[in-house]
Amino acid sequence: YIIMNSWCYVYLSCECVCIFQCRILVHHLEQFASQAKNVSSHIKCKYDKEMSRPSKVVTLGVICKNENKVDEMCSIMDQVHDLVPSKKVDSQLVLSPDKVEMFEAETFHQVLRGGDQLTAACCRGSAAARCDHDTRKGRLHGIVPVSEDWHAKYRLCKAIHQKLFIPSCLTSEKGSLPQLKVLINFAAKVDPDKNMKGFEDFILIALHAHVTAAAKQILSTTQFDNVEDIAKELIVQFVVFNPDTELKVKDKVHLYAVQVLTLGLLWNGFYDSIKEGDGDRILIYYKFLLHVFKAGGCFNYCKETIILLTQYHCLFSDCQKAQLKWSRCINTKGHKGNNIPCDLHLEHLNRCLKGMIRGLHSNILPNAITRAARSVGMVHHVCNILRDEMHISKESGRHTRPLFNKECAKMIKELEEHKVFEEHERQPAVYKQVMNMMQQYSTKDLKTWILQKFSTYQM
């Protein structure tokens, strides 16, 4: 259940990656432009209509404590636990064969508490510190910590950056991402730690350029009339998602280009599944991210991914499984493809709250901060009404986009000139350790590592 299987490869290749590549090819290749209407702009999911509606958000306030300290995290969890639905039931305790004591016990409808990897780990740590408490409420039985998706996407971007942008000497190597960044004069920083949006903008341009260049390489030897056929052929020749596939290519420039294409499609697919709110697809992508996190040295996110998949496949009831899959995203504006992860929305609320706190000036006190946090949603609504009545233009909140087509055309031309998708005997010194992150650990090796590390782990 946790490790990828053949069905995952087939689903990802035929149902997802093929569609992503078709969207790119009909945009950049004139011979397929007429088939754009046949390419799906949204991949449907089980609750497609529900995910396209605006979500109802209720702000519960803020607790002025440090979650990195166990005692304060326990206090936070106690306050959150008061919101968990519960009921009292009659129970019995068998003291001896002839003596049974009746008592009233409290049962809880367990609620999932989402957050990033650190928040989930702190929640489990506070529950472990309370494991010997007398009551279920004292043991925090009603809260189940789970990890969410925006911070996982950030770790994916960071792992890709470490693999494809470092060392810095790649700037002198034709066809590498640092060299292409210089070529198109991409001014924004592409380090996810400093500019997450800048990295995503650049990797999207690079993905479009690599898909188009790979398709042109195929079309130079074989003719295709259907864009879906060439997208499938591109997957067969240049995309490597299966960690057990043996590559016999020795051209390191070619292997680097294949890795850019593979990791770019993985990032794009995970991002698209979040935007559509497709919980089924998100959990499938986590099986692939497990390999990337392991290859990138992200042990904590490896652990969180394993826990998440184990919770879904082995531990949760059907109700909890549905909650885990379909409550991961939030749609604040409505329409298809506008979902964002819940932990990202929490970051947006934190930004709004910080702006309100700055407006308090000398009145910054715990009680004032708590009241401000509970009124974030209402203040935002009042501000919108005020802007409409005074005809003040509203900031879109969108990041500015670069000259996408122009910069993508430059990249495509550069990749074609240096024939990165043709196999030659190129062994540049800067590509000393070029290995696809998806193939760094085979399925068998990953399974052995999981059993060694987590066979005695308590969730």
Side-chain angles (χ1 to χ4, degrees), residues 310-335:
T310 303
Q311 286 173 330
Y312 177 75
H313 290 290
C314 306
L315 302 178
F316 280 178
S317 63
D318 291 341
C319 179
Q320 289 175 318
K321 287 181 180 180
Q323 186 181 354
L324 179 66
K325 278 198 299 186
W326 304 112
S327 64
R328 305 187 67 80
C329 302
I330 186 171
N331 193 331
T332 57
K333 298 180 180 179
H335 306 295

Short mmCIF file of all heavy atoms in Angstrom, two decimals, residues 310-335:
data_model
loop_
_atom_site.label_atom_id
_atom_site.label_comp_id
_atom_site.label_asym_id
_atom_site.label_seq_id
_atom_site.Cartn_x
_atom_site.Cartn_y
_atom_site.Cartn_z
N THR A 310 0.24 5.14 5.80
CA THR A 310 -0.15 4.07 6.73
C THR A 310 -1.49 4.38 7.40
O THR A 310 -2.33 3.49 7.57
CB THR A 310 0.95 3.86 7.79
OG1 THR A 310 2.19 3.59 7.14
CG2 THR A 310 0.59 2.70 8.70
N GLN A 311 -1.68 5.63 7.78
CA GLN A 311 -2.95 6.02 8.36
C GLN A 311 -4.09 5.74 7.40
O GLN A 311 -5.14 5.19 7.79
CB GLN A 311 -2.93 7.51 8.72
CG GLN A 311 -2.11 7.85 9.95
CD GLN A 311 -1.99 9.35 10.16
OE1 GLN A 311 -2.00 10.13 9.22
NE2 GLN A 311 -1.86 9.76 11.42
N TYR A 312 -3.92 6.12 6.14
CA TYR A 312 -5.00 5.96 5.17
C TYR A 312 -5.26 4.49 4.84
O TYR A 312 -6.42 4.05 4.82
CB TYR A 312 -4.67 6.72 3.88
CG TYR A 312 -5.72 6.54 2.82
CD1 TYR A 312 -6.94 7.21 2.90
CD2 TYR A 312 -5.52 5.68 1.75
CE1 TYR A 312 -7.92 7.03 1.95
CE2 TYR A 312 -6.50 5.49 0.78
CZ TYR A 312 -7.69 6.18 0.88
OH TYR A 312 -8.66 5.98 -0.06
N HIS A 313 -4.22 3.73 4.59
CA HIS A 313 -4.41 2.36 4.10
C HIS A 313 -4.62 1.33 5.21
O HIS A 313 -5.18 0.27 4.96
CB HIS A 313 -3.21 1.93 3.25
CG HIS A 313 -3.11 2.64 1.93
ND1 HIS A 313 -4.00 2.41 0.90
CD2 HIS A 313 -2.25 3.58 1.48
CE1 HIS A 313 -3.68 3.16 -0.14
NE2 HIS A 313 -2.62 3.89 0.18
N CYS A 314 -4.16 1.64 6.44
CA CYS A 314 -4.15 0.60 7.47
C CYS A 314 -4.89 0.96 8.76
O CYS A 314 -5.43 0.06 9.42
CB CYS A 314 -2.70 0.24 7.83
SG CYS A 314 -1.68 -0.24 6.43
N LEU A 315 -4.91 2.23 9.15
CA LEU A 315 -5.36 2.57 10.49
C LEU A 315 -6.73 3.24 10.55
O LEU A 315 -7.46 3.04 11.51
CB LEU A 315 -4.33 3.50 11.17
CG LEU A 315 -2.90 2.95 11.29
CD1 LEU A 315 -2.00 3.98 11.94
CD2 LEU A 315 -2.90 1.67 12.11
N PHE A 316 -7.07 4.03 9.57
CA PHE A 316 -8.27 4.85 9.65
C PHE A 316 -9.53 4.08 9.28
O PHE A 316 -9.50 3.14 8.48
CB PHE A 316 -8.14 6.06 8.73
CG PHE A 316 -7.31 7.18 9.31
CD1 PHE A 316 -7.07 8.34 8.57
CD2 PHE A 316 -6.76 7.10 10.57
CE1 PHE A 316 -6.32 9.37 9.08
CE2 PHE A 316 -5.99 8.12 11.10
CZ PHE A 316 -5.77 9.25 10.36
N SER A 317 -10.65 4.54 9.86
CA SER A 317 -11.96 4.04 9.45
C SER A 317 -12.34 4.67 8.11
O SER A 317 -11.66 5.58 7.62
CB SER A 317 -13.00 4.40 10.51
OG SER A 317 -13.13 5.81 10.60
N ASP A 318 -13.44 4.22 7.52
CA ASP A 318 -13.88 4.77 6.23
C ASP A 318 -14.20 6.26 6.34
O ASP A 318 -13.90 7.04 5.42
CB ASP A 318 -15.12 4.01 5.73
CG ASP A 318 -14.80 2.58 5.33
OD1 ASP A 318 -13.61 2.30 5.08
OD2 ASP A 318 -15.73 1.76 5.26
N CYS A 319 -14.77 6.65 7.47
CA CYS A 319 -15.09 8.06 7.68
C CYS A 319 -13.81 8.90 7.74
O CYS A 319 -13.72 9.97 7.13
CB CYS A 319 -15.90 8.21 8.95
SG CYS A 319 -16.34 9.92 9.36
N GLN A 320 -12.82 8.41 8.48
CA GLN A 320 -11.56 9.15 8.58
C GLN A 320 -10.80 9.17 7.27
O GLN A 320 -10.15 10.16 6.93
CB GLN A 320 -10.70 8.52 9.68
CG GLN A 320 -11.23 8.76 11.09
CD GLN A 320 -10.41 8.02 12.13
OE1 GLN A 320 -10.02 6.87 11.95
NE2 GLN A 320 -10.16 8.69 13.24
N LYS A 321 -10.88 8.09 6.50
CA LYS A 321 -10.24 8.06 5.18
C LYS A 321 -10.82 9.14 4.27
O LYS A 321 -10.09 9.86 3.58
CB LYS A 321 -10.42 6.69 4.53
CG LYS A 321 -9.58 5.59 5.12
CD LYS A 321 -9.83 4.28 4.38
CE LYS A 321 -8.99 3.15 4.95
NZ LYS A 321 -9.22 1.87 4.24
N ALA A 322 -12.15 9.25 4.28
CA ALA A 322 -12.80 10.27 3.46
C ALA A 322 -12.40 11.66 3.91
O ALA A 322 -12.15 12.56 3.10
CB ALA A 322 -14.32 10.08 3.51
N GLN A 323 -12.34 11.86 5.23
CA GLN A 323 -11.93 13.17 5.76
C GLN A 323 -10.49 13.48 5.38
O GLN A 323 -10.17 14.61 5.01
CB GLN A 323 -12.09 13.18 7.28
CG GLN A 323 -11.82 14.55 7.90
CD GLN A 323 -11.97 14.55 9.40
OE1 GLN A 323 -12.38 13.56 10.00
NE2 GLN A 323 -11.60 15.65 10.03
N LEU A 324 -9.61 12.49 5.43
CA LEU A 324 -8.21 12.70 5.09
C LEU A 324 -8.04 13.08 3.63
O LEU A 324 -7.24 13.95 3.28
CB LEU A 324 -7.41 11.43 5.41
CG LEU A 324 -5.92 11.48 5.09
CD1 LEU A 324 -5.21 12.48 5.98
CD2 LEU A 324 -5.29 10.10 5.24
N LYS A 325 -8.80 12.42 2.75
CA LYS A 325 -8.66 12.66 1.31
C LYS A 325 -9.29 13.96 0.86
O LYS A 325 -8.70 14.72 0.08
CB LYS A 325 -9.29 11.50 0.51
CG LYS A 325 -8.41 10.30 0.37
CD LYS A 325 -8.89 9.39 -0.75
CE LYS A 325 -10.29 8.87 -0.52
NZ LYS A 325 -10.68 7.89 -1.56
N TRP A 326 -10.50 14.25 1.33
CA TRP A 326 -11.29 15.31 0.72
C TRP A 326 -11.37 16.59 1.56
O TRP A 326 -12.14 17.48 1.22
CB TRP A 326 -12.69 14.78 0.43
CG TRP A 326 -12.66 13.56 -0.44
CD1 TRP A 326 -12.99 12.30 -0.07
CD2 TRP A 326 -12.24 13.48 -1.79
NE1 TRP A 326 -12.81 11.43 -1.11
CE2 TRP A 326 -12.34 12.12 -2.19
CE3 TRP A 326 -11.76 14.42 -2.73
CZ2 TRP A 326 -12.01 11.69 -3.46
CZ3 TRP A 326 -11.42 13.99 -4.00
CH2 TRP A 326 -11.55 12.64 -4.35
N SER A 327 -10.59 16.66 2.64
CA SER A 327 -10.55 17.91 3.39
C SER A 327 -9.13 18.48 3.44
O SER A 327 -8.78 19.21 4.35
CB SER A 327 -11.07 17.69 4.82
OG SER A 327 -10.22 16.79 5.52
N ARG A 328 -8.33 18.15 2.44
CA ARG A 328 -6.94 18.61 2.40
C ARG A 328 -6.81 19.98 1.76
O ARG A 328 -5.79 20.65 1.91
CB ARG A 328 -6.07 17.61 1.62
CG ARG A 328 -6.13 16.20 2.15
CD ARG A 328 -5.12 15.32 1.46
NE ARG A 328 -3.76 15.71 1.81
CZ ARG A 328 -3.14 15.38 2.93
NH1 ARG A 328 -3.77 14.63 3.82
NH2 ARG A 328 -1.92 15.78 3.16
N CYS A 329 -7.82 20.39 1.00
CA CYS A 329 -7.73 21.63 0.23
C CYS A 329 -8.91 22.54 0.55
O CYS A 329 -9.94 22.09 1.06
CB CYS A 329 -7.70 21.33 -1.27
SG CYS A 329 -6.35 20.25 -1.78
N ILE A 330 -8.75 23.81 0.21
CA ILE A 330 -9.79 24.80 0.45
C ILE A 330 -9.90 25.69 -0.78
O ILE A 330 -8.91 26.02 -1.42
CB ILE A 330 -9.47 25.61 1.72
CG1 ILE A 330 -10.61 26.56 2.06
CG2 ILE A 330 -8.17 26.38 1.58
CD1 ILE A 330 -10.44 27.22 3.42
N ASN A 331 -11.12 26.04 -1.13
CA ASN A 331 -11.38 26.89 -2.30
C ASN A 331 -12.00 28.19 -1.80
O ASN A 331 -13.17 28.23 -1.42
CB ASN A 331 -12.32 26.17 -3.27
CG ASN A 331 -12.38 26.84 -4.63
OD1 ASN A 331 -12.20 28.04 -4.75
ND2 ASN A 331 -12.65 26.05 -5.66
N THR A 332 -11.24 29.26 -1.80
CA THR A 332 -11.71 30.52 -1.23
C THR A 332 -12.48 31.37 -2.25
O THR A 332 -13.18 32.31 -1.85
CB THR A 332 -10.53 31.35 -0.71
OG1 THR A 332 -9.59 31.57 -1.78
CG2 THR A 332 -9.83 30.62 0.42
N LYS A 333 -12.38 31.06 -3.54
CA LYS A 333 -12.99 31.90 -4.57
C LYS A 333 -14.01 31.18 -5.44
O LYS A 333 -14.74 31.81 -6.19
CB LYS A 333 -11.89 32.47 -5.48
CG LYS A 333 -10.89 33.35 -4.74
CD LYS A 333 -9.82 33.89 -5.68
CE LYS A 333 -8.84 34.77 -4.92
NZ LYS A 333 -7.77 35.28 -5.81
N GLY A 334 -14.07 29.86 -5.36
CA GLY A 334 -14.95 29.11 -6.24
C GLY A 334 -14.28 28.82 -7.57
O GLY A 334 -13.13 29.20 -7.81
N HIS A 335 -14.99 28.11 -8.45
CA HIS A 335 -14.53 27.72 -9.78
C HIS A 335 -13.53 26.56 -9.69
O HIS A 335 -12.90 26.32 -8.66
CB HIS A 335 -13.92 28.89 -10.55
CG HIS A 335 -14.84 30.09 -10.63
ND1 HIS A 335 -16.02 30.06 -11.31
CD2 HIS A 335 -14.72 31.34 -10.09
CE1 HIS A 335 -16.61 31.25 -11.21
NE2 HIS A 335 -15.85 32.03 -10.47
#
